[in-house]
Amino acid sequence: MDNHQKRNLTFYTIGLIFMLSGIEYAVILPTIWRYLQILEAPPYFLGLGLSAFSLSGLLTGPLFGLWSDRSKTTKSIILFSNLFEIAGVGAGAGSSIFGFLTRSTRPEDRAGVFAAIMACRQAGLLVGPAFNLFLRLCDFKLGPFVVNKYTSPGIFMCLLWVLLQFVVLALYWDVPPISSEGGVVMVEMKQAQDEEEEVLLMGSNEDPVHTYRAVNTDQLETSASSELQLVHVASSVSDPYKTFCSSRELLREEVVVLLTAQFITLFNQTALETMVTPLTQRHFSFGELGNSLMYSLCGVEVILGFFFVRWLSRKVADRAVLAVGLVICCTACIWCLIFLCNPRGGYGWELSAFIIGVFLQLLGLPFVAVSQVSLFSKITAEKTQGFSQGVRRSVGGLATILGPLWAGGLTENLYIMLGMMLGLLIMITIMTMLSYDRLTEPRAVQCAQSSDSGG
């Protein structure tokens, strides 16, 4: 089996991993609210439960990313991470996977690949409620454990994650990264005892700064020899995470904007997901079945959105897709503030206003999610993608913790909850406008030294 076939099977396995994460969310979320009600827990416990689900991912993301960058492997990390999923504490190797995808795709294809992978998670959200149709009928004992419609989702997901371990063992390969042809030129030198060394271009100034430069392929042959003469590999920077270069990379303006977009997007999304179940029960008397069907319809919309963004990303720059997504999200939040906080009219009008609000919220999600992940992978160093993606996912993990906590205590005060969300969206929209010129896709990312005069 050649590397191309192995790469395709590996991509399919990654899609299955993300699909299972979506199934897990769709199976558990519709039932957790009713289960907490049976326990007579106050409403904010819903936020605490959903936040706890994201805590392990927040802590482990950068560590798994660091592990993958150093080992240049992801298979063992996925197998190890899935043990936490089986145990029910909700850890994931997403940072390692996104780092692997970055190294295994060309920049021009990356947004499409990310969109397809994210669509797999939404497919899981679509399929998940179908499992609830028979899980809600469970009513028996498994040894000392009571298996009913509230406990069966956890047992069911445990079995699926165990089966996934065998799929990863059989179909996942740590294939070598592909080199971009005619695109990115990265000057690297390897030593016998070091896996990879940070490349520094020497100048008259001793302070290293981040620079980006596009390399014309027509000049490659004539400049290669002179370029290599300028390369100096410093043994003191064999660990890229202890260098000035890596510590400053995540503080650049454009990186901060994308990390903020990641936080706000997931904060708002998880806050709305926390709010929507009590809202549908209070206003429309939805039960587990009604919520499951609602999540299925939402999954269809989001999947179509991801495939539309996949097509659009081939024709439009990522930063433009991000801007469109933020405008849609702001519009959706304004709609919810006007029509959902103090609904008036009959049942039909309230349900229509709710459907339109949910439609608009989900419409903007694929635009923002795909564009910010794709841009982030292009403006950060490829060598440390695992760690960088781990930081990005930790920021998202923090958002998925705080979002449910914020919404869980405000299910009866939608003006405050939605007003805060709109304020955050307006803030990131302004930040994106001010930094729009910096949200570019450099053709080479290097940590270099430059003189004060050369800037």
Side-chain angles (χ1 to χ4, degrees):
M1 186 180 299
D2 59 21
N3 283 335
H4 179 71
Q5 292 175 313
K6 290 181 177 180
R7 181 176 285 107
N8 286 339
L9 288 176
T10 300
F11 283 0
Y12 292 142
T13 305
I14 291 174
L16 181 61
I17 293 172
F18 277 77
M19 185 176 180
L20 278 189
S21 69
I23 292 176
E24 182 175 51
Y25 205 72
V27 164
I28 293 175
L29 190 62
T31 58
I32 187 173
W33 172 241
R34 294 300 298 271
Y35 183 61
L36 289 173
Q37 286 182 316
I38 291 176
L39 299 178
E40 298 182 353
Y44 63 84
F45 265 74
L46 177 60
L48 287 175
L50 296 177
S51 296
F53 192 74
S54 304
L55 180 61
S56 59
L58 167 67
L59 301 176
T60 58
L63 295 178
F64 284 155
L66 179 62
W67 182 4
S68 67
D69 285 338
R70 288 183 169 178
S71 64
K72 305 302 179 187
T73 61
T74 54
K75 183 175 183 177
S76 57
I77 298 173
I78 293 173
L79 292 171
F80 178 75
S81 173
N82 284 348
L83 295 178
F84 290 92
E85 293 282 3
I86 294 171
V89 296
S95 57
S96 302
I97 292 175
F98 276 106
F100 170 80
L101 291 174
T102 299
R103 291 186 289 265
S104 303
T105 55
R106 295 182 175 87
E108 60 270 19
D109 301 327
R110 198 166 297 157
V113 172
F114 287 162
I117 294 299
M118 292 178 182
C120 289
R121 184 180 186 277
Q122 297 303 320
L125 290 172
L126 175 62
V127 174
F131 293 111
N132 268 339
L133 295 178
F134 71 84
L135 289 176
R136 61 196 290 269
L137 302 177
C138 293
D139 187 15
F140 59 92
K141 284 190 175 182
L142 191 64
F145 302 104
V146 176
V147 181
N148 54 35
K149 64 180 179 179
Y150 301 115
T151 59
S152 58
I155 299 173
F156 176 72
M157 289 310 307
C158 178
L159 294 176
L160 289 185
W161 286 113
V162 170
L163 293 176
L164 180 66
Q165 291 287 76
F166 295 100
V167 175
V168 173
L169 283 171
L171 301 179
Y172 193 101
W173 281 274
D174 286 308
V175 293
I178 63 173
S179 58
S180 302
E181 301 174 359
V184 178
V185 177
M186 301 190 69
V187 184
E188 296 180 350
M189 292 189 66
K190 293 185 179 179
Q191 294 182 343
Q193 297 180 351
D194 296 315
E195 292 182 0
E196 205 171 352
E197 297 291 341
E198 192 74 29
V199 176
L200 301 177
L201 299 180
M202 300 303 296
S204 60
N205 188 0
E206 292 299 323
D207 295 326
V209 296
H210 290 277
T211 61
Y212 305 85
R213 59 186 181 85
V215 181
N216 192 329
T217 55
D218 295 335
Q219 300 172 345
L220 178 60
E221 295 181 358
T222 60
S223 63
S225 60
S226 60
E227 185 114 355
L228 290 174
Q229 293 176 357
L230 298 175
V231 174
H232 173 71
V233 180
S235 60
S236 62
V237 295
S238 58
D239 185 352
Y241 309 99
K242 294 181 180 178
T243 64
F244 183 80
C245 173
S246 295
S247 64
R248 288 290 301 273
E249 182 174 45
L250 297 176
L251 298 178
R252 296 201 315 272
E253 177 182 326
E254 59 272 28
V255 177
V256 171
V257 170
L258 293 178
L259 289 178
T260 304
Q262 165 85 349
F263 177 87
I264 293 176
T265 302
L266 290 179
F267 179 89
N268 287 0
Q269 179 186 348
T270 53
L272 288 169
E273 289 171 350
T274 304
M275 173 269 291
V276 72
T277 307
L279 185 68
T280 56
Q281 184 188 39
R282 183 168 64 248
H283 291 285
F284 312 118
S285 301
F286 283 5
E288 292 90 350
L289 180 60
N291 283 323
S292 295
L293 292 176
M294 178 185 66
Y295 280 107
S296 295
L297 294 175
C298 291
V300 172
E301 179 191 352
V302 176
I303 289 173
L304 294 175
F306 275 118
F307 280 107
F308 176 75
V309 172
R310 178 188 173 106
W311 169 82
L312 187 65
S313 64
R314 300 171 184 170
K315 304 179 180 297
V316 180
D318 289 336
R319 57 183 179 177
V321 177
L322 175 62
V324 171
L326 290 175
V327 171
I328 296 175
C329 289
C330 288
T331 303
C333 207
I334 293 172
W335 174 275
C336 292
L337 266 172
I338 296 174
F339 296 105
L340 295 185
C341 292
N342 187 21
R344 297 177 180 178
Y347 181 88
W349 165 247
E350 290 184 13
L351 183 60
S352 300
F354 173 77
I355 292 174
I356 294 173
V358 171
F359 174 82
L360 291 174
Q361 290 284 356
L362 297 178
L363 182 62
L365 177 63
F367 288 83
V368 178
V370 173
S371 59
Q372 59 95 1
V373 176
S374 179
L375 264 177
F376 189 85
S377 72
K378 295 172 184 177
I379 66 175
T380 51
E382 184 175 309
K383 181 178 178 180
T384 56
Q385 273 296 300
F387 179 74
S388 298
Q389 293 288 346
V391 172
R392 183 189 65 80
R393 288 179 65 84
S394 288
V395 170
L398 180 62
T400 57
I401 290 173
L402 296 179
L405 288 177
W406 172 257
L410 293 171
T411 54
E412 302 289 341
N413 299 279
L414 295 183
Y415 276 116
I416 298 176
M417 189 187 79
L418 293 172
M420 175 69 172
M421 294 165 55
L422 179 59
L424 291 175
L425 284 171
I426 293 174
M427 182 186 74
I428 186 56
T429 303
I430 295 174
M431 290 175 63
T432 302
M433 292 172 58
L434 295 176
S435 303
Y436 193 79
D437 291 339
R438 289 180 174 268
L439 297 174
T440 56
E441 305 167 11
R443 302 185 69 189
V445 180
Q446 295 180 336
C447 182
Q449 291 183 335
S450 62
S451 63
D452 290 335
S453 61

